[in-house]
Amino acid sequence: MTEALFKEYEKLLPKRIIEDIKEALPKGTGAAKVKKVLELALEEYLQSKVDPGESVGLISAESIGEPSTQMTLNTFHFAGVAEMNVTTGLPRIIEILDGRKDLKTPMMEIHLKSPFNKGKDIRIIAESIKETTLKEVIDEISINIAESTIELTLLAEKLKVLKLTPAQIIKVLEKSLKGYAVRQSDDRILMKAKGKEDNLNEIYKSKEKIKDIYIKGVKGISHVLPVKRDEEFVIITAGSNLKDILTLEYVDDKTTSTNNIHEIASVLGVEAARQSIINEVFRVIENQGLNVDVRHIMLVADTMCVNGTVKGITRYGVVSEKSSVLARASFETSIKHIINASLVGEVDELTSVVENVMLNQPIPVGTGLPGLVTKVKR
Amino acid sequence: MSEVFLNGKFVGTADDHKAFIEQVKGERRKGKLSSNLNVMYDEKVDSIAIEVSKGRARRPLIVVKEGKSLLTEKHVQQIEKGELSWQDLIDQGLIEYLDAAEEENAYVAFFEPDLTKDHTHLEITPLDMVGLCTSLVPFGNYNTAPKLNTGSKNQKQALGMYAINYGIRMDMDINILHTPQRPVVASYMHDVMEYDKHPAGQNIVVAIMSYKGYNMEDSIVINKGSIDRGFGRSTYFRPAVAEELRYSGGLMDNICVPDKDVKGYKSERDYRFLEGDGIIAPEMKVAEGDVIIGKTSPPRFLSSLDEYNIASSARKESSVSMKHGEEGVIDFVLITENEEGNKLVQVRIRDQRVPEIGDKFTSRHGQKGVVGLIVPHADMPFSASGIVPDLLFSPHGIPSRMTMAHLIELVGGKVGALGGRYIDGTLFNSENEEDIRKELASFGFRENGTETMYDGVTGEQFDAKIFVGTMYYLKLKHMVANKIHSRARGPIQLLTRQPTEGRAKEGGLRLGEMEKDTFVAHGTSLLLKERFDADRTILPICEECGTIAIHDDFKNRYFCQTCGDAVEISNIEMSYAFKLLLDELKSMAIYPKLSLKNKY
């Protein structure tokens, strides 16, 4: 009996709501009562739907814009770790909504698979993720002009921590820099230029170049910080490289995340990027102690991701997609848009708000949307 | 070995910097070196900087030797007798001026009893660390720094007696307070600067209480009776100036009653106050639009002389008249000549300003507020002894701002008024608060300044005891009469046909971008359109080529300049600003074609 009722309402109400009602109702509720509940639920549902012609975008813009004027410019500092802070507040929101590719503070939160997240050897795991360049393991680098060689003095202690041997470093050097014969002598590495001699300029350039040679770890991860979250250990990093991190066998690829939305879009797809925009923006707003309905943020995230790539709310991003010339011209670089439109003979259909405000026509929103249709006697 | 720099230039080295500096200072105090010289030793870079250049801010301090001030009681007595002058003290090395650099090496004591062996200087008085205006804040050291600062800034905007010869001066935008008083709670600096010769406020009775919400958010409630008795009454003076300018070709302006055939002649009524010489008579009551000085000017371009119209004079009207919303009485007329020998007429307009809702008042502690309500004397609260406050100040202005001096002044003023004496509120050297309270108690009042008060309307006693006292209040020069502005219809700009901007031009209040957004968000599409209708125009549009067509008013027919009159032409409503945009696009060789279609 009640099953039939639920079936009937399945066309009218979203599945999720019907399931919620099913769960909430006590067992053996009478059909009449169930019907009443469903009727009320339907009424409530219809009432909370957005009306046709509601300016949802503008309301979202105002709902996010107004509280963000109260945000502070403070950055959040990691206690105890020097120079590791995160952009939050308005700068971060601007960064996300602009769809910037280079973040001020790229960051990852790496969750680990079961045996590894218990805290054993967490420092070693963390340290192995961190990107190490040559300059971090050498004490001194100099050029021997007479021999036309580059001489590196290694930091033995540092090597021990990183579980590296001089032989490994020599291998890396040979691989990444052609034209040098690399050999070890005591705790030093000597690099002799093959072929052309006396080309000091070249040698000097090489010397500067090898300083930044990648030796170990994941590229782009400049700091690591193991943190205990509830019962689990996670690694927070400065710098982000989602693609490479996910390939590591001990990393839990379901919960590991980054704050770089473009990286998520390219590794996990737009849907993930959309969710990540929502999460990131919402987190910032929540951290500031402000209250914005998620649906406003969801709308913004949807707009940014509609056509499959992440686009910022800038004149190069979402705004450039507007169909109206006048609307585009009214937002930054007017002349560029007008001239380009005139070159191809673009037509403005006056379908959106800004153009109609400019022409002093009723805007097609709210009361301006419906038209009156009557039959005219001929 | 220290490096020595003179005015920033390296001049040599000194083996023992201590001895070197002592020697330089000694010579300066003896008068062998200029008293303008300052010397500083920088420990970090081990260098000595000697400065005699100009542009350094310096301040005088008493020299201290072995923990003893060089300036003794004997010197003070000699100064009092007039035997010693300031310059003598400097010449004798008792007082010296330090610049910012030398202060770094000095250890200055605040008061004489604080002196120790390490001290090098003694402050003449702690008062000299603030400027003149700040020293006029009584009990200023009890205030927070920001409020002391605003308090000192506010005093510069107060109305008072700025110059006694104001009657023969022609200053722009000047206010004179009618019955200024010297403050009961004053400071040492009030005497020094002879504040009683140009006071800028009045001592009034202030009660700290709310009044039906009319003094919330920093507004104040004023007693109507106090206003009638002259509280805050002031006069506003503004000159109107006209000059007979000379132009090329022997032409010149003419100050006179303009002829009726002058271009731009206003109306006979507007010129009614002008006397035979074209200037208004003193003591005339004038209002908006009335001409004060009649003047005509020669035509702007000689070529514009209308050859065919002999009867009309080519001169144009250029009188000086009262501005929009302005009124007053003609105070004073001055006819003179300027440097170039042109006739110069200045007319001063006077306007009495009685305090009204919106006028700004302040105490001397940055507690400024705007009048929120003027209450009849009968409805004001009153104390048991029958005292009715002149002003009600909201208690919410106190906790967050922490202007303790405001409260102390209130008690001090009360004691001063009861005891018939002036209270000394000099910064860091004021009378003791406790003594003031004791004195207040001796007059039979509660020592904390509160009193039992009664509601003026119902006569009921208030549950709370109200903090009342006397304090010095200032009327600030920001008065609503100079700022009030509204518009329904009015002048528009020539170019855009949109309303003008600003009060002086009777402009409109802009409904800006974000305000527009609220209409959009609310979905009131047609209301938004109506709001932006100020520059709407109806233009004939050729449906063939989509450009603006022409309406021939004589023959009442429409035609298009490119397509002729055999085309469909429709009248379209749009904003004039958009028509301008179309014109601008055309001017840069872009063809904006309007394609019309039925909306429904």
Side-chain angles (χ1 to χ4, degrees):
Chain A
M1 181 62 199
T2 48
E3 275 307 307
L5 261 174
F6 280 122
K7 211 116 251 127
E8 187 186 321
Y9 272 88
E10 239 159 50
K11 287 171 223 145
L12 305 167
L13 283 170
K15 238 185 195 165
R16 171 86 185 276
I17 293 175
I18 290 195
E19 262 156 37
D20 281 354
I21 292 171
K22 269 185 192 165
E23 217 167 275
L25 280 175
K27 275 240 160 69
T29 315
K33 267 190 181 167
V34 172
K35 196 173 161 75
K36 195 145 198 200
V37 167
L38 285 169
E39 267 169 12
L40 280 172
L42 182 64
E43 199 184 316
E44 191 102 319
Y45 172 70
L46 291 176
Q47 260 174 21
S48 38
K49 267 183 149 178
V50 171
D51 295 322
E54 187 86 270
S55 335
V56 276
L58 194 40
I59 292 170
S60 287
E62 285 183 346
S63 304
I64 298 171
E66 193 272 334
S68 56
T69 59
Q70 303 167 27
M71 276 188 220
T72 51
L73 296 169
N74 291 342
T75 51
F76 169 66
H77 296 271
F78 268 101
V81 181
E83 282 171 50
M84 192 149 160
N85 50 28
V86 188
T87 34
T88 52
L90 198 60
R92 175 66 184 144
I93 289 205
I94 291 171
E95 197 174 68
I96 301 167
L97 298 189
D98 278 2
R100 295 221 188 112
K101 285 204 166 114
D102 295 309
L103 304 183
K104 239 189 201 160
T105 50
M107 240 187 87
M108 286 193 80
E109 201 177 294
I110 302 168
H111 293 247
L112 302 172
K113 276 182 186 156
S114 189
F116 304 101
N117 66 4
K118 295 288 180 275
K120 200 181 161 241
D121 295 340
I122 189 85
R123 288 225 146 257
I124 295 165
I125 295 174
E127 209 54 43
S128 73
I129 291 171
K130 192 182 159 189
E131 177 183 355
T132 311
T133 49
L134 186 68
K135 66 175 173 230
E136 283 170 62
V137 293
I138 52 174
D139 188 27
E140 204 192 334
I141 182 161
S142 58
I143 299 174
N144 190 332
I145 301 171
E147 309 256 329
S148 64
T149 53
I150 305 171
E151 298 182 9
L152 309 166
T153 320
L154 294 169
L155 276 169
E157 263 176 51
K158 189 90 193 182
L159 288 180
K160 219 185 230 169
V161 173
L162 290 167
K163 286 183 182 165
L164 282 169
T165 57
Q168 276 172 303
I169 291 171
I170 289 169
K171 219 177 214 172
V172 172
L173 280 173
E174 274 172 339
K175 213 172 171 189
S176 52
L177 208 67
K178 299 270 144 59
Y180 285 90
V182 190
R183 66 184 174 82
Q184 191 185 356
S185 79
D186 303 332
D187 59 341
R188 295 196 307 174
I189 292 175
L190 301 176
M191 298 171 69
K192 194 169 170 63
K194 286 182 205 160
K196 280 172 274 165
E197 266 181 47
D198 293 332
N199 199 347
L200 267 179
N201 235 349
E202 276 300 311
I203 295 172
Y204 184 78
K205 270 186 200 161
S206 306
K207 178 198 144 198
E208 292 302 310
K209 219 166 140 189
I210 58 172
K211 277 184 186 172
D212 290 321
I213 281 179
Y214 158 78
I215 297 190
K216 202 174 180 244
V218 180
K219 270 185 190 169
I221 310 289
S222 56
H223 289 272
V224 282
L225 179 70
V227 176
K228 195 175 181 189
R229 281 263 162 87
D230 299 326
E231 287 306 301
E232 176 191 29
F233 277 86
V234 294
I235 300 166
I236 291 170
T237 69
S240 168
N241 188 345
L242 188 63
K243 197 179 168 192
D244 292 351
I245 290 283
L246 290 185
T247 56
L248 299 173
E249 20 116 41
Y250 44 80
V251 166
D252 183 2
D253 51 2
K254 289 196 180 64
T255 45
T256 294
S257 69
T258 168
N259 68 351
N260 188 337
I261 282 132
H262 284 278
E263 224 175 287
I264 293 182
S266 63
V267 176
L268 301 171
V270 250
E271 285 299 330
R274 187 196 88 108
Q275 193 57 46
S276 154
I277 292 171
I278 297 168
N279 294 345
E280 289 285 322
V281 175
F282 195 67
R283 198 172 64 202
V284 173
I285 290 171
E286 242 184 1
N287 274 341
Q288 299 277 334
L290 303 169
N291 187 22
V292 175
D293 198 298
V294 230
R295 273 158 279 212
H296 295 305
I297 303 162
M298 282 161 77
L299 185 69
V300 176
D302 280 338
T303 331
M304 287 172 72
C305 301
V306 250
N307 61 3
T309 51
V310 177
K311 282 211 146 99
I313 316 249
T314 61
R315 69 181 117 123
Y316 308 106
V318 171
V319 178
S320 71
E321 308 268 296
K322 284 193 176 182
S323 63
S324 161
V325 198
L326 294 174
R328 265 179 285 136
S330 73
F331 178 89
E332 295 177 11
T333 54
S334 324
I335 293 170
K336 187 183 99 186
H337 286 293
I338 287 172
I339 289 179
N340 287 343
S342 75
L343 290 177
V344 293
E346 220 173 296
V347 177
D348 194 323
E349 296 287 344
L350 306 181
T351 49
S352 146
V353 175
V354 201
E355 311 91 276
N356 285 295
V357 172
M358 284 169 89
L359 268 76
N360 196 20
Q361 299 291 322
I363 49 167
V365 214
T367 55
L369 193 64
L372 188 62
V373 183
T374 50
K375 254 184 196 166
V376 184
K377 266 187 188 163
R378 294 212 177 246
Chain B
M1 186 114 90
S2 316
E3 291 166 330
V4 182
F5 295 86
L6 177 65
N7 289 338
K9 272 186 198 145
F10 179 73
V11 286
T13 55
D15 291 330
D16 182 358
H17 63 85
K18 260 188 192 153
F20 180 81
I21 286 177
E22 275 317 307
Q23 195 186 347
V24 171
K25 280 184 183 171
E27 305 275 290
R28 180 181 64 194
R29 285 169 192 167
K30 275 181 215 149
K32 284 187 182 163
L33 284 171
S34 164
S35 65
N36 283 328
L37 178 143
N38 283 111
V39 59
M40 193 258 284
Y41 175 67
D42 189 339
E43 221 171 307
K44 272 186 202 147
V45 288
D46 190 25
S47 71
I48 297 163
I50 302 171
E51 281 288 335
V52 283
S53 57
K54 45 188 170 178
R56 291 167 294 135
R58 300 156 80 235
R59 64 195 204 94
L61 290 168
I62 300 169
V63 179
V64 169
K65 274 228 170 90
E66 302 295 320
K68 284 221 171 75
S69 163
L70 289 188
L71 188 82
T72 57
E73 202 54 40
K74 209 178 97 197
H75 293 111
V76 178
Q77 281 165 11
Q78 277 182 299
I79 295 164
E80 274 169 358
K81 278 184 212 150
E83 288 165 12
L84 270 180
S85 70
W86 180 255
Q87 192 57 47
D88 294 332
L89 296 178
I90 297 166
D91 291 345
Q92 290 178 22
L94 306 179
I95 281 177
E96 63 184 2
Y97 282 88
L98 298 194
D99 69 354
E102 191 170 338
E103 256 188 331
E104 293 291 320
N105 296 149
Y107 185 34
V108 186
F110 224 34
F111 294 106
E112 202 162 357
D114 299 344
L115 281 175
T116 66
K117 276 237 156 80
D118 297 331
H119 282 100
T120 60
H121 293 87
L122 173 65
E123 203 83 58
I124 295 171
T125 160
L127 191 66
D128 76 355
M129 72 172 148
V130 295
L132 177 64
C133 280
T134 311
S135 66
L136 294 182
V137 177
F139 300 105
N141 48 316
Y142 292 89
N143 276 340
T144 52
K147 282 294 148 187
L148 183 63
N149 209 302
T150 37
S152 117
K153 273 191 270 173
N154 283 342
Q155 297 204 53
K156 298 171 191 170
Q157 301 181 359
L159 308 187
M161 187 59 61
Y162 77 103
I164 298 172
N165 66 343
Y166 72 91
I168 54 166
R169 292 175 65 101
M170 274 292 181
D171 293 312
M172 196 68 201
D173 278 324
I174 280 309
N175 293 281
I176 296 286
L177 191 67
H178 282 193
T179 45
Q181 298 170 347
R182 63 173 288 185
V184 170
V185 183
S187 78
Y188 176 72
M189 282 311 280
H190 283 88
D191 295 335
V192 173
M193 69 173 286
E194 301 183 325
Y195 195 79
D196 51 341
K197 290 203 173 148
H198 42 86
Q202 290 160 322
N203 296 293
I204 56 165
V205 178
V206 175
I208 299 191
M209 60 177 285
S210 61
Y211 189 88
K212 297 175 181 176
Y214 281 98
N215 59 356
M216 54 190 203
E217 291 291 326
D218 275 343
S219 52
I220 51 172
V221 171
I222 298 191
N223 184 342
K224 179 83 188 336
S226 310
I227 293 172
D228 295 343
R229 276 177 244 118
F231 168 62
R233 208 165 274 232
S234 63
T235 302
Y236 173 70
F237 293 101
R238 187 184 75 85
V241 188
E243 188 189 345
E244 275 192 350
L245 282 172
R246 284 168 212 277
Y247 301 92
S248 57
L251 295 164
M252 63 184 291
D253 289 338
N254 189 12
I255 292 177
C256 62
V257 182
D259 283 337
K260 277 187 179 166
D261 49 10
V262 157
K263 211 167 131 198
Y265 187 79
K266 295 182 174 176
S267 78
E268 228 167 289
R269 191 183 173 277
D270 291 336
Y271 299 103
R272 69 190 188 282
F273 293 119
L274 298 190
E275 309 230 296
D277 58 357
I279 306 166
I280 198 163
E283 297 308 319
M284 286 294 176
K285 272 192 179 168
V286 284
E288 175 182 340
D290 291 336
V291 174
I292 298 161
I293 305 166
K295 198 174 85 173
T296 60
S297 303
R300 187 106 56 100
F301 308 106
L302 278 177
S303 57
S304 73
L305 274 172
D306 203 336
E307 290 169 47
Y308 304 100
N309 200 346
I310 312 151
S312 139
S313 146
R315 295 184 74 82
K316 67 183 204 299
E317 141 84 82
S318 60
S319 300
V320 178
S321 47
M322 292 291 279
K323 284 178 188 164
H324 177 69
E326 204 184 28
E327 57 174 18
V329 179
I330 303 304
D331 191 51
F332 182 64
V333 175
L334 178 86
I335 304 172
T336 180
E337 242 175 34
N338 70 0
E339 309 90 78
E340 285 125 53
N342 296 337
K343 187 180 179 184
L344 180 73
V345 177
Q346 292 192 312
V347 177
R348 196 168 64 204
I349 302 146
R350 143 168 58 89
D351 188 22
Q352 196 188 69
R353 295 284 165 83
V354 180
E356 54 179 323
I357 290 178
D359 282 357
K360 197 174 174 187
F361 287 83
T362 183
S363 73
R364 286 173 290 175
H365 311 283
Q367 287 286 12
K368 52 188 181 233
V370 157
V371 179
L373 185 68
I374 293 168
V375 179
H377 188 102
D379 291 344
M380 286 293 278
F382 54 90
S383 76
S385 53
I387 294 290
V388 181
D390 299 304
L391 191 144
L392 302 179
F393 176 85
S394 170
H396 296 289
I398 303 287
S400 58
R401 292 192 244 272
M402 298 178 283
T403 53
M404 300 326 294
H406 187 89
L407 307 176
I408 299 171
E409 191 196 337
L410 209 69
V411 179
K414 201 168 175 176
V415 170
L418 290 164
R421 67 183 189 93
Y422 294 108
I423 305 288
D424 185 10
T426 310
L427 199 80
F428 292 110
N429 267 325
S430 53
E431 283 181 36
N432 199 347
E433 187 207 334
E434 218 169 301
D435 298 343
I436 293 173
R437 279 166 168 248
K438 272 183 195 149
E439 200 177 336
L440 183 60
S442 76
F443 290 121
F445 285 85
R446 246 183 230 101
E447 57 93 43
N448 61 10
T450 59
E451 282 179 46
T452 305
M453 290 195 90
Y454 301 86
D455 188 323
V457 182
T458 63
E460 279 173 43
Q461 185 186 319
F462 289 131
D463 289 342
K465 302 284 174 259
I466 307 295
F467 188 56
V468 241
T470 311
M471 72 187 306
Y472 198 60
Y473 246 80
L474 319 166
K475 185 187 189 185
L476 300 181
K477 66 179 181 187
H478 307 283
M479 286 171 281
V480 251
N482 297 326
K483 296 187 171 177
I484 192 168
H485 176 51
S486 66
R487 158 177 173 148
R489 273 158 284 141
I492 52 163
Q493 279 164 15
L494 202 62
L495 180 72
T496 60
R497 298 199 188 171
Q498 284 168 4
T500 49
E501 200 186 322
R503 183 181 121 98
K505 282 173 273 175
E506 216 200 324
L509 297 165
R510 185 183 162 83
L511 185 100
E513 180 106 20
M514 292 173 91
E515 290 77 12
K516 173 214 78 182
D517 287 349
T518 63
F519 281 82
V520 178
H522 202 66
T524 48
S525 170
L526 295 146
L527 179 64
L528 175 70
K529 180 186 174 296
E530 202 169 293
R531 200 26 261 242
F532 283 147
D533 262 355
D535 67 338
R536 86 172 230 264
T537 36
I538 292 173
L539 290 175
I541 303 289
C542 168
E543 294 203 23
E544 190 67 32
C545 63
T547 52
I548 296 159
I550 289 164
H551 177 225
D552 185 339
D553 234 13
F554 269 120
K555 294 173 192 158
N556 192 23
R557 71 185 186 102
Y558 292 91
F559 66 94
C560 172
Q561 274 183 308
T562 38
C563 316
D565 54 2
V567 282
E568 191 91 0
I569 287 167
S570 311
N571 281 318
I572 298 297
E573 181 195 303
M574 65 176 84
S575 61
Y576 193 79
F578 183 67
K579 186 236 159 199
L580 266 184
L581 174 70
L582 295 181
D583 291 345
E584 271 183 44
L585 291 179
K586 282 178 222 162
S587 77
M588 52 196 246
I590 293 174
Y591 168 30
K593 182 177 177 180
L594 299 175
S595 54
L596 307 181
K597 70 172 182 213
N598 202 321
K599 225 175 189 172
Y600 304 108

